[in-house]
Amino acid sequence: MPSRGKHGPSPEGCRTRLVLLGTAGGPPWYAGTTRAGIASALVVGDRYYLIDAGHGVGQRLRAAELGAHDRPLSRLRAVFLTHLHSDHVIDLNNVLVEGVANGLEQVDRPVQIWGPGNRGAVPPLFGPPPAPPVTAPENPTPGTAETVGLLVRAFATDINDRSFDNRLPTPDRLYSGHDVPIPAELVDDPNGDPHPRMSPVKFYEDDRVRVSATLVQHAPVFPALAFRFDTDDGSVVFSGDTGPSENLIELAQGADILVHEVIDREWAEEGLFPAPRTPQQDAIVQHLLHAHTQVDQVGPIADAAGVPTLVLSHLVPGDWPEHKWRRAQHGYSGELIVGRDLDTFGVGRRARR
C-alpha cells in the first residue's frame, strides 16, 4: 500500500491506518492535477470504513489495495457521508451499484451507509429574487436513508437485469441507508440556526470502531457533519466541509489525527472573481469563504483541539501548489501534512508482533 514516506505517522506495523483516497474539494474537475474527489478510508485490521465518496473513489480503493482478491469492496464495513453535496457523494452510486461486481457481494453483512437526515426545507434564496423553481418539490431535500433508496430506484433496470440474468445479490442483502440521529431540537431550524452549539453524539459502534458526529458550519448546507472514529489504537477526526467550528474543536479533543478541509482566500478573491468585482460577485466570494476554513484559520483550530497531526484534504482549489497550503502551519505547533491521494498514515499504537 502506498505511504507518505518520511512525513507523517508511519503506517508500518499499525493495525489502524488512515488512507486518503481523494483530496480535491468541490465539484470542479481541476486542470493540471490528478487528485480525485474527496474520500478517505479508515482501516482497522482487515476491515475498512469509507468516509465520503467523491469522483474516482472506486479506482482509488483499488489502487489502495484495501480489498481481497482484486475485490476492493470485499472488506468494506460501513460508509459515512459528511453531507450530501455532490462532490462528497457523486460516486456513492458506483459503490452501491457497480460494487456488486467489485467485492460488495462478498461482505459478511450488509454495509451500513450513514449520513445527514432530511434538511426539512429548501435553503434561503441567495441574492435577489426571483427564486428558481424547486426541483422535486414533493421531497426537495432527501436525507441519506432516502437518497440510498432513490439510488436503488434510479438503477433498478441494471439491478434487476443483473439479479435475474446473473443471479447477483439484490440491494437488501448488500447495504442499507441510515440518518445520523442528531437530536431533533438541534435540527428544527435549518435556515435560522444551522450551526447550534452541541456536544458530540455517538451513533455507531462495532467490534473495531466507535463513531461520533457533530454539526459543523457549512451553511446553507444542513445538516453538515464531522465524524470522530475511536479505535483501540487511536482516534481520527474528519471535519467534513466547515467554517471554523467550536463543535469540531470539541469533537477533536485528544484525537491523534485531524483531517481538515481548507480553502485559499487568494484563489477565491483573485482566481475565481478577480477585482474589480461586482457587489454580487463579492457576496459570492464572502459566501464561499464563510462556508469553508481558510488557510490561516485551520492551524489555530487544530492547535485548540490539541491534535499532534493535522492533515489537509478537500483542497479548494485542487490544483493549487503545495507551498501555498503550508501556510497553515502558522498558529499550529504540531505536524502539518498537505494531503495527497493514496497517502497512508499510522494511527496511535502499533500492533503487537
Side-chain angles (χ1 to χ4, degrees), residues 30-303:
Y30 299 102
T33 181
T34 59
R35 294 184 187 273
I38 187 67
S40 303
L42 188 75
V43 183
V44 188
D46 62 354
R47 186 183 305 160
Y48 73 91
Y49 305 81
L50 179 64
I51 300 90
D52 287 328
H55 66 86
V57 68
Q59 291 300 316
R60 285 292 188 261
L61 285 168
R62 181 179 297 281
E65 301 176 358
L66 297 185
H69 309 300
D70 199 34
R71 290 290 187 268
L73 297 177
S74 60
R75 292 174 176 167
L76 174 65
R77 172 51 59 86
V79 179
F80 299 86
L81 306 174
T82 59
H83 63 292
L84 301 180
H85 259 165
S86 60
D87 56 318
H88 292 251
V89 301
I90 196 66
D91 271 9
L92 177 63
N93 64 306
N94 289 344
V95 172
L96 301 185
V97 180
E98 291 188 335
V100 73
N102 290 283
L104 197 59
E105 77 286 359
Q106 297 179 6
V107 298
D108 59 0
R109 67 192 70 183
V111 171
Q112 295 186 29
I113 302 145
W114 288 92
N118 195 310
R119 190 181 195 280
V122 295
L125 179 65
F126 179 71
V134 175
T135 298
E138 72 286 354
N139 186 13
T141 59
T144 300
E146 294 169 298
T147 295
V148 170
L150 290 167
L151 285 173
V152 170
R153 294 177 66 85
F155 286 91
T157 295
D158 178 86
I159 292 167
N160 286 321
D161 281 350
R162 297 185 190 281
S163 62
F164 276 80
D165 186 37
N166 300 330
R167 304 308 293 264
L168 291 175
T170 51
D172 59 300
R173 291 174 52 194
L174 298 175
Y175 49 82
S176 59
H178 307 270
D179 297 340
V180 174
I182 301 298
E185 66 272 16
L186 297 176
V187 294
D188 62 358
D189 191 9
N191 291 337
D193 189 14
H195 185 222
R197 189 69 177 90
M198 66 173 290
S199 290
V201 173
K202 293 182 180 179
F203 68 95
Y204 176 92
E205 183 172 0
D206 61 24
D207 62 328
R208 305 288 178 93
V209 300
R210 301 167 296 281
V211 188
S212 304
T214 197
L215 292 169
V216 289
Q217 166 52 36
H218 193 41
V221 177
F222 182 86
L225 303 172
F227 295 123
R228 177 182 178 124
F229 291 76
D230 289 296
T231 77
D232 290 343
D233 308 305
S235 304
V236 180
V237 172
F238 298 88
S239 73
D241 282 13
T242 182
S245 169
E246 289 293 330
N247 290 347
L248 174 66
I249 291 173
E250 180 179 350
L251 181 75
Q253 289 295 319
D256 294 278
I257 299 175
L258 171 60
V259 183
H260 205 294
E261 68 112 91
V262 66
I263 190 172
D264 193 284
R265 174 182 284 272
E266 177 188 343
W267 169 79
E269 292 184 335
E270 299 179 16
L272 193 61
F273 289 114
R277 289 187 293 273
T278 66
Q280 176 73 6
Q281 289 173 332
D282 193 62
I284 293 173
V285 168
Q286 298 308 314
H287 187 64
L288 185 63
L289 293 175
H290 181 68
H292 295 280
T293 301
Q294 298 171 43
V295 178
D296 61 348
Q297 296 173 321
V298 68
I301 289 170
D303 221 52

Side-chain angles (χ1 to χ4, degrees), residues 3-41:
S3 65
R4 174 56 115 175
K6 63 182 180 179
H7 298 292
S10 170
E12 184 69 28
C14 286
R15 186 182 76 125
T16 299
R17 305 183 303 280
L18 164 68
V19 182
L20 303 182
L21 298 168
T23 53
W29 298 344
Y30 299 102
T33 181
T34 59
R35 294 184 187 273
I38 187 67
S40 303

